Amino acid sequence: MKKTYQGSCHCGAVRFEADLDLAQGTFRCNCSICFKTRAWLAGIPASDFRLLSGEKSLADYQFGKKVIHHRFCTKCGVRAFSRAGEQVAVRVNCLDGVDPKELIAAPVKYFNMRHDDAKSPPAETRHL
Ligand SMILES: [Zn+2]
């Protein structure tokens, strides 16, 4: 069942709301940026995401094909979400007040984007 979560960066400049169901799944990925930032994400439609504050504190990082906007707080450096077209990927670790049991129970799917393969998981995932 979808719930509305409040989320934020570390310093609190960036605040958002996201409607999502953690039981529907989260994902991790081995691509260059997900690996370096240890991303743990939930993908939701942009219509289920609302930035409440912090637009002025958000920088936008893009690389490669420049499809994804990797937003981050310029004050504390935390990456609370990314956006690509009408999809938003929320860092589930930036959701506030989540019962750890919900995170523990959330299914995790692994993407092998280091090898441009979204269809099968990487052979090894323990280090992601
Ligand atoms: Zn911040």
Side-chain angles (χ1 to χ4, degrees):
M1 199 178 67
K2 256 191 214 177
K3 280 174 31 179
T4 298
Y5 293 93
Q6 313 285 318
S8 60
C9 64
H10 189 264
C11 73
V14 176
R15 293 188 184 280
F16 65 89
E17 270 182 0
D19 307 323
L20 61 100
D21 181 357
L22 286 169
Q24 289 299 308
T26 63
F27 68 93
R28 286 184 180 275
C29 171
N30 64 355
C31 82
S32 57
I33 193 160
C34 284
F35 184 78
K36 287 208 171 189
T37 64
R38 301 194 66 77
W40 185 16
L41 301 148
I44 59 173
S47 54
D48 286 343
F49 178 88
R50 295 170 293 282
L51 184 65
L52 302 179
S53 68
E55 182 59 47
K56 284 187 185 142
S57 300
L58 281 166
D60 184 12
Y61 176 64
Q62 292 194 286
F63 70 99
K65 292 175 190 156
K66 299 195 173 174
V67 174
I68 306 172
H69 295 270
H70 301 274
R71 309 297 305 272
F72 63 95
C73 175
T74 54
K75 198 170 167 191
C76 69
V78 165
R79 305 168 168 276
F81 67 95
S82 305
R83 180 167 178 161
E86 288 308 302
Q87 282 292 118
V88 171
V90 171
R91 302 267 177 154
V92 298
N93 48 292
C94 287
L95 300 176
D96 296 315
V98 185
D99 186 331
K101 286 183 195 138
E102 282 182 68
L103 292 174
I104 292 163
V108 182
K109 189 172 179 181
Y110 290 89
F111 289 113
N112 189 11
M113 295 313 288
R114 183 163 296 245
H115 302 104
D116 288 320
D117 181 3
K119 296 209 167 80
S120 39
E124 180 56 81
T125 59
R126 287 175 297 178
H127 62 309
L128 298 175

